[in-house]
Amino acid sequence: MYLTPPVALHTVAAHLNLEKYMPVTIENVGPCRKKLRVEVPAGRVAGTRAEIVEEFRKEAALPGFRPGKAPEPMVAKRFAKEIDEEVRKRLIPDSYREALREQKLRVVGMPQIESVEENLTNDLVYVATVDTAPEFTLPEYKGVKLTKQEQPVTDEDVTKLLDNMRDQQADFATIEDRGLQAGDFAVVTYAGTIDGKPIAEVVPDLKTLGEQKDFWLLVQSDSFLPGFCDQLLGAKTGEKRQVQVDFPADFPQKLIAGAKAAYAVEVTGIREKKLPELNDEFAKRLGAESLEKLRENARKGLTAERTRQADAELRRQLVDHLLSKVEFELPEGLVAQETRQIVYDLVRENTMRGASKEQLAEKKDELYAAAQESAKERLRSSFILDEIARLEKITVAEDEVNSRLAEMAERYRVTPDRLRAQLAERDQLDDVAQQVLVAKTLDFLIASAKVETK
């Protein structure tokens, strides 16, 4: 976002001059949206055209003339279309930037250039539709009252974390001398049908619901499908069973909600989870010198995580406070762009969680509405924080951007140079600087806030 100060615009259709000769007309066409009609004068157009014709002449090879020796009128006629295009490519961007600078317009996003023409006086005239940053009055942003919730790490918390570590390091022993018990892992191969038709055909987007080979399944009542595991209790390796499943009416997959299914199941293996002993040997497996050191590291890690959570909550409170104190319109183009990105992220996340195309289609209106609301909140908070940063002269240094890139690269497991190149290809390097600016502005605001600790 641009951090130049907002200015009052002239009335609709007010005619202004840029430098000496370039009239610009500004028309308000919606909240934060304006149309600029720019007239590049004939003299400037002619001068630029003459330069371009000369450049073409130096390279042109026309019949009867050596390269660079053809007469200018002949070159201008032969390459008229290409020359016109080059004139516009040079004059429109330059004059557009001049118009923004002279009128002090805080434009966000890319302009929509339309109605490019040369009028009877050979002026170059075009219309640019632009989104502009909103104008608003900041509320009081220093000394905001915030509440910080402290959650001290207890011995029980440390024990739970160590138990999770043991669970992640567990071994699975093969069981051959008994049948399945609750808590075992059954290795099963199954295929299901509904009214004799394979479920994999009924629900092609989720074939694993219909059939699977050597599938690991934790044997407990609420695992997998309703009643599936209970009907496998006592089964031994190699045993085959018929399992009946009644899908509830509110089952997420609508195509089989309320249906009765029959599964042919073979138990191909039984595994029992074996947790490692909590001792010094276990600690060394995880890179700690001893169990005591592992506990110490676990406590430090939990403490750091809770500190991060508490700080994030403070930032959320602060942003919510600012948003509640000021209202303003947003650029339509930015809202649409941000909404599309959020919808894309939501669809990707839900797809990774197993949602089908049909489920997403059913929820598309709900997803879009939620994404649009989130987009507006993000943009409003971003504009507010940008304005605070401008007033408080908070800036971002190159080494701060580099540090942020290094952190991101480590998280994504790529080199900083590689990450920088990827972001540059997607034109997202400025986003990194913006992230740093937002973080610094929030740090500034929290440092000035009145924080009550509970």
Side-chain angles (χ1 to χ4, degrees):
M1 295 198 179
Y2 293 82
L3 300 180
T4 52
V7 295
L9 296 174
H10 285 65
T11 57
V12 175
H15 289 273
L16 304 170
N17 288 326
L18 287 181
E19 295 181 346
K20 288 185 178 181
Y21 306 104
M22 194 170 72
V24 175
T25 302
I26 301 176
E27 178 186 359
N28 292 314
V29 293
C32 303
R33 177 160 287 190
K34 305 183 188 302
K35 277 193 175 183
L36 278 65
R37 185 178 184 274
V38 182
E39 299 179 35
V40 184
R44 183 170 175 181
V45 176
T48 301
R49 183 181 299 278
E51 293 175 0
I52 295 170
V53 170
E54 178 61 20
E55 291 172 6
F56 270 76
R57 190 185 70 82
K58 290 179 179 178
E59 302 294 332
L62 297 181
F65 298 94
R66 288 179 295 164
K69 297 299 182 180
E72 286 188 4
M74 185 177 294
V75 172
K77 183 178 180 179
R78 171 66 178 81
F79 298 102
K81 183 178 179 180
E82 292 85 350
I83 291 170
D84 285 346
E85 183 178 347
E86 186 64 24
V87 167
R88 292 175 180 181
K89 282 173 63 176
R90 293 191 190 182
L91 286 179
I92 291 177
D94 289 346
S95 59
Y96 170 73
R97 284 190 292 268
E98 290 173 17
L100 298 187
R101 183 172 61 251
E102 292 297 326
Q103 301 305 315
K104 297 181 173 63
L105 291 179
R106 300 170 59 208
V107 170
V108 293
M110 299 298 292
Q112 298 175 13
I113 305 294
E114 53 186 303
S115 303
V116 182
E117 60 185 41
E118 289 189 47
N119 61 24
L120 294 177
T121 60
N122 292 320
D123 294 340
L124 176 64
V125 182
Y126 64 90
V127 175
T129 301
V130 298
D131 282 336
T132 56
E135 297 181 21
F136 56 91
T137 301
L138 279 173
E140 180 56 50
Y141 53 83
K142 293 181 181 179
V144 177
K145 293 182 179 180
L146 305 175
T147 302
K148 184 175 184 178
Q149 299 286 349
E150 284 194 344
Q151 290 183 292
V153 176
T154 65
D155 291 342
E156 183 181 358
D157 294 329
V158 174
T159 298
K160 285 182 180 178
L161 179 56
L162 293 178
D163 286 342
N164 287 336
M165 293 178 180
R166 291 174 65 203
D167 191 72
Q168 293 170 7
Q169 297 292 320
D171 292 325
F172 293 87
T174 300
I175 303 299
E176 297 178 347
D177 58 350
R178 63 168 175 80
L180 275 171
Q181 297 177 356
D184 287 340
F185 280 83
V187 186
V188 296
T189 295
Y190 62 81
T193 59
I194 295 177
D195 295 332
K197 186 174 182 179
I199 295 176
E201 296 180 11
V202 178
V203 193
D205 289 341
L206 201 58
K207 291 185 177 181
T208 55
L209 191 64
E211 59 185 18
Q212 192 70 275
K213 185 176 181 181
D214 293 333
F215 179 69
W216 280 52
L217 179 63
L218 175 61
V219 180
Q220 58 186 31
S221 294
D222 59 352
S223 180
F224 198 41
L225 300 174
F228 193 97
C229 291
D230 293 339
Q231 298 175 63
L232 294 179
L233 290 173
K236 294 184 177 181
T237 299
E239 187 174 338
K240 297 180 180 179
R241 289 194 178 183
Q242 289 294 317
V243 172
Q244 306 300 316
V245 173
D246 293 336
F247 289 102
D250 61 352
F251 193 71
Q253 182 51 258
K254 300 299 183 184
L255 292 174
I256 56 176
K260 295 183 180 295
Y263 281 86
V265 183
E266 179 182 0
V267 178
T268 59
I270 300 174
R271 304 288 188 271
E272 183 179 11
K273 180 186 286 188
K274 298 288 187 181
L275 296 177
E277 292 292 328
L278 190 59
N279 51 27
D280 288 345
E281 181 181 348
F282 172 72
K284 290 176 182 177
R285 283 170 58 182
L286 297 179
E289 299 172 4
S290 63
L291 179 57
E292 181 180 357
K293 190 65 175 178
L294 182 62
R295 288 186 186 277
E296 180 184 334
N297 293 342
R299 186 178 294 276
K300 287 180 179 178
L302 285 171
T303 300
E305 177 59 27
R306 291 189 179 177
T307 298
R308 284 192 293 271
Q309 291 174 354
D311 290 344
E313 172 61 18
L314 284 180
R315 283 162 170 72
R316 186 195 64 77
Q317 289 180 41
L318 183 57
V319 170
D320 286 350
H321 170 81
L322 294 172
L323 289 174
S324 70
K325 297 297 182 181
V326 61
E327 284 284 348
F328 51 84
E329 297 287 350
L330 290 165
E332 296 175 11
L334 272 189
V335 173
Q337 177 184 327
E338 189 73 12
T339 300
R340 285 194 297 271
Q341 184 59 51
I342 294 175
V343 168
Y344 173 80
D345 292 340
L346 287 173
V347 169
R348 182 181 59 184
E349 290 171 9
N350 281 279
T351 300
M352 292 176 65
R353 292 172 181 167
S356 66
K357 293 180 180 178
E358 290 82 2
Q359 289 174 300
L360 292 173
E362 289 176 4
K363 298 285 187 180
K364 67 177 182 179
D365 292 339
E366 184 180 331
L367 282 172
Y368 182 84
Q372 188 178 58
E373 189 61 32
S374 179
K376 290 179 178 179
E377 185 173 299
R378 284 190 193 179
L379 290 171
R380 286 178 61 217
S381 62
S382 184
F383 278 115
I384 292 171
L385 293 173
D386 277 354
E387 184 63 8
I388 293 173
R390 185 189 69 81
L391 291 175
E392 298 295 337
K393 296 181 173 54
I394 300 171
T395 58
V396 176
E398 184 177 354
D399 61 335
E400 292 174 314
V401 174
N402 292 337
S403 178
R404 173 65 176 162
L405 281 171
E407 293 174 6
M408 294 170 64
E410 184 176 356
R411 186 164 70 249
Y412 298 141
R413 297 182 180 179
V414 297
T415 65
D417 288 343
R418 176 58 179 161
L419 179 61
R420 181 185 289 275
Q422 291 174 344
L423 292 173
E425 287 174 8
R426 300 194 294 266
D427 197 25
Q428 292 179 339
L429 269 178
D430 287 345
D431 293 347
V432 179
Q434 180 67 16
Q435 292 173 19
V436 177
L437 182 68
V438 167
K440 290 183 68 174
T441 305
L442 287 171
D443 287 343
F444 166 81
L445 293 173
I446 288 174
S448 70
K450 297 175 182 178
V451 181
E452 179 185 2
T453 300
K454 293 186 177 180

